[in-house]
């Protein structure tokens, strides 16, 4: 009878860091110094060792059983070789008696791994992430009710440079309605050769016969003015493009930023990865790319061209509606308000304090 067993080797020499838990929550984690070993007997050379991979915690709802099963399904042997625990046992030995002994020790390995995973799911960083998601769902639930019957459009803009550059000019504006129907899709001629840019595929030749911003402005401006709510994936940049264009070209500008709603911010709070800013010493949530947010929340491949304004506007609208549905279907409730404690009288005079307390009791 074999004495072989599966052992969890934990050679870490320091406690688990919060920032590592945050990384594991979104991306999973290769936990250095923690391995699974197939040991033939005490003191003998290991039959096989494998690296423990912590799966993305949030993808498994921070559920210990799901995480445990996922961890045992992904043991890393080499850089490109990942096996399940059953395959790990098969590779460890060709001896049936050894394999059976390894299988019998599996419950103990599960217990050890469960204890390890508890370090992650019980960490304070996980509670911060959970609360952010709850707050996001509650906000979406509110928006789902508040926006019923509203005229909602979605805009996306392509430009020659980022919105923070004063010289940046609009070269495409696309607007769709709540059903994804085209409201406006206009190429704009900036009046000069368009520099190469990885963020769009628009060339100088494509806009040669397109109107200038001054000629297309009324149609763009009016389409947005007629809407109750304007969506964008990063409202700040799209609004800035329009505001700067109006300022440079001396065009009318009556758009109200308070009626704009940033879908990127909603996606950030719902699925964005939490990270620790080591220099400024605070937690923050990363804003996902539109394509990533779409594929994760809508659970479908991103449609169309990610560098075309109309495709992006339609995708943003679809994403927004999918998020609203998640909010509507959730059973989240607002956080209960904490009752404010009555301020205790503060005094260095003990006699005055006693008198104040007696007076308070008399009132109640």
């Amino acid at each position: 009878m074999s004495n072989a067993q599966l052992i969890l080797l934990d050679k870490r020499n320091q406690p688990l860091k919060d920032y590592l838990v945050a990384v594991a929550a979104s991306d999973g984690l290769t936990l250095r110094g923690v391995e699974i070993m197939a040991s033939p007997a005490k003191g003998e050379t290991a039959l096989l060792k494998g690296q423990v991979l912590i799966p993305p915690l949030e993808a498994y709802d921070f559920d210990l059983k799901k995480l445990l099963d996922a961890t045992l399904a992904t043991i890393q042997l080499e850089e490109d070789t990942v096996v399940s625990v059953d395959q790990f046992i098969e590779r460890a030995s060709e001896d049936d008696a050894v394999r059976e002994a390894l299988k019998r020790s599996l419950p103990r390995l599960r217990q050890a791994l469960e204890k390890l995973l508890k370090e992650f799911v019980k960490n304070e960083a996980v509670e911060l992430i959970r609360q952010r998601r709850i707050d996001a769902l509650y906000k979406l639930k509110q928006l789902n009710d508040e926006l019923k019957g509203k005229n909602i459009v979605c805009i996306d803009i392509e430009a020659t440079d980022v919105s923070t550059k004063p010289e940046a000019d609009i070269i495409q504006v696309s607007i769709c309605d709540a059903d994804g129907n085209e409201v406006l899709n206009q190429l704009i001629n900036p009046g000069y050769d368009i520099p190469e840019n990885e963020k769009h595929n628009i060339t100088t030749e494509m806009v040669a016969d397109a109107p200038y911003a001054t000629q297309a402005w009324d149609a763009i401006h009016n389409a947005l003015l007629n809407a109750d709510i304007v969506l964008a994936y990063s409202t700040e940049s799209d609004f800035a493009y329009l505001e700067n264009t109006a300022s440079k070209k001396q065009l009318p500008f009556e758009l109200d930023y308070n009626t704009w709603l940033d879908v990127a911010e909603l996606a950030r709070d719902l699925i964005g990865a939490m990270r620790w800013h080591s220099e400024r010493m605070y937690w923050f949530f990363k804003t996902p790319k539109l394509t990533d947010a779409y594929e994760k929340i809508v659970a479908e491949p991103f449609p169309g061209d990610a560098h075309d304004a109309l495709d992006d506007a339609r995708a943003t609208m679809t994403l927004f509606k999918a998020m609203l549905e998640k909010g509507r279907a959730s059973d989240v409730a607002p956080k209960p308000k904490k009752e404010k404690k009555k301020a205790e009288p503060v005094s260095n005079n003990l006699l005055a304090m006693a008198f104040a307390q007696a007076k308070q009791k008399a009132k109640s």
Side-chain angles (χ1 to χ4, degrees), residues 183-202:
V183 174
L184 182 144
N185 185 29
Q186 184 63 64
L187 288 172
I188 304 291
N189 189 336
Y192 53 84
D193 288 347
I194 297 174
E196 289 186 10
N197 191 314
E198 293 180 358
K199 294 190 175 182
H200 64 74
N201 299 319
I202 300 170

Side-chain angles (χ1 to χ4, degrees), residues 152-154 175-184 310-311 313-318 321:
I152 304 173
V153 300
C154 186
I175 303 171
C176 71
D177 64 17
D179 295 320
N181 298 316
E182 179 185 318
V183 174
L184 182 144
L310 184 57
D311 286 343
R314 284 170 168 160
T316 300
M317 182 62 80
T318 301
K321 290 166 74 174

Side-chain angles (χ1 to χ4, degrees), residues 168-338:
D169 285 307
I170 296 172
I171 51 177
Q172 185 184 15
V173 178
S174 297
I175 303 171
C176 71
D177 64 17
D179 295 320
N181 298 316
E182 179 185 318
V183 174
L184 182 144
N185 185 29
Q186 184 63 64
L187 288 172
I188 304 291
N189 189 336
Y192 53 84
D193 288 347
I194 297 174
E196 289 186 10
N197 191 314
E198 293 180 358
K199 294 190 175 182
H200 64 74
N201 299 319
I202 300 170
T203 64
T204 302
E205 291 72 25
M206 290 170 64
V207 300
D209 297 324
Y212 297 114
T214 52
Q215 297 170 315
W217 184 255
D218 286 347
I220 298 168
H221 194 237
N222 290 337
L224 298 172
L225 278 178
N226 291 334
D228 297 317
I229 300 292
V230 178
L231 305 179
Y233 204 81
S234 180
T235 52
E236 191 174 332
S237 59
D238 285 345
F239 193 88
Y241 281 131
L242 294 168
E243 191 172 38
N244 293 340
T245 297
S247 177
K248 287 192 294 185
K249 310 291 184 184
Q250 297 186 346
L251 299 166
F253 189 81
E254 299 174 18
L255 304 180
D256 181 2
Y257 191 70
N258 292 318
T259 65
W260 285 48
L261 190 59
D262 197 335
V263 179
E265 287 185 3
L266 295 171
R268 177 198 65 200
D269 291 345
L270 189 62
I271 65 165
M274 188 175 81
R275 292 293 183 267
W276 177 250
H277 198 300
S278 57
E279 293 182 3
R280 299 183 182 179
M281 304 294 284
Y282 67 85
W283 290 108
F284 69 97
F285 285 80
K286 296 171 67 177
T287 301
K289 293 180 180 178
L290 173 59
T291 50
D292 294 338
Y294 185 97
E295 292 179 358
K296 189 167 184 178
I297 295 171
V298 181
E300 292 179 4
F302 189 85
D305 183 352
H307 298 300
D308 178 81
L310 184 57
D311 286 343
D312 285 356
R314 284 170 168 160
T316 300
M317 182 62 80
T318 301
L319 170 62
F320 178 66
K321 290 166 74 174
M323 287 195 291
L324 286 186
E325 176 56 26
K326 284 186 179 294
R328 187 198 66 76
S330 71
D331 57 359
V332 296
K335 290 184 288 187
K337 293 182 179 178
K338 294 181 179 179

Side-chain angles (χ1 to χ4, degrees), residues 12 45 47 89 99 180 183 265:
R12 295 175 296 163
T45 305
L47 297 169
I89 290 171
R99 288 177 174 177
V183 174
E265 287 185 3

Side-chain angles (χ1 to χ4, degrees), residues 24-234:
S26 59
D27 302 343
L29 183 69
T30 301
L31 199 55
R32 299 299 178 190
V34 182
E35 296 177 313
I36 293 173
M37 180 178 75
S39 172
K42 189 174 181 180
E44 294 186 22
T45 305
L47 297 169
L48 188 65
K49 286 183 180 180
Q51 173 72 52
V52 169
L53 303 177
I54 303 298
L57 307 177
E58 193 168 11
Y60 293 91
D61 303 318
F62 302 105
D63 183 277
L64 265 178
K65 185 181 183 307
K66 293 177 183 177
L67 288 167
L68 182 54
D69 290 341
T71 303
L72 287 170
T74 52
I75 303 169
Q76 188 173 40
L77 299 183
E78 298 168 9
E79 189 172 342
D80 298 323
T81 306
V82 175
V83 299
S84 68
V85 69
D86 291 335
Q87 293 168 327
F88 183 83
I89 290 171
E90 292 294 315
R91 286 178 178 236
S93 176
E94 296 181 358
D95 188 314
D96 289 341
V98 172
R99 288 177 174 177
E100 286 302 315
L102 292 175
K103 289 177 182 177
R104 286 196 301 271
S105 70
L106 188 53
R108 288 196 299 274
L109 176 64
R110 290 181 68 92
Q111 288 178 354
L113 279 172
E114 184 175 346
K115 183 179 178 182
L116 171 67
L117 290 166
K118 276 183 180 178
E119 290 185 47
F120 285 84
V121 298
K122 300 297 182 184
N123 187 276
E124 290 182 2
V126 168
E127 184 55 35
L128 291 175
I129 296 169
R130 284 181 185 273
Q131 193 56 59
R132 190 62 164 251
R133 305 313 186 215
I134 290 170
D135 291 346
L137 286 170
Y138 183 69
K139 184 175 183 179
L140 289 166
K141 183 186 281 285
Q142 286 183 308
L143 284 172
N144 184 67
D145 294 334
E146 293 170 2
L147 299 182
K148 285 178 179 175
K150 299 285 187 181
N151 177 22
I152 304 173
V153 300
C154 186
I155 185 172
D156 191 76
I157 292 174
E158 300 294 346
T160 56
D161 211 330
V162 294
S163 62
T164 52
K165 298 286 184 70
E167 64 273 17
D169 285 307
I170 296 172
I171 51 177
Q172 185 184 15
V173 178
S174 297
I175 303 171
C176 71
D177 64 17
D179 295 320
N181 298 316
E182 179 185 318
V183 174
L184 182 144
N185 185 29
Q186 184 63 64
L187 288 172
I188 304 291
N189 189 336
Y192 53 84
D193 288 347
I194 297 174
E196 289 186 10
N197 191 314
E198 293 180 358
K199 294 190 175 182
H200 64 74
N201 299 319
I202 300 170
T203 64
T204 302
E205 291 72 25
M206 290 170 64
V207 300
D209 297 324
Y212 297 114
T214 52
Q215 297 170 315
W217 184 255
D218 286 347
I220 298 168
H221 194 237
N222 290 337
L224 298 172
L225 278 178
N226 291 334
D228 297 317
I229 300 292
V230 178
L231 305 179
Y233 204 81
S234 180

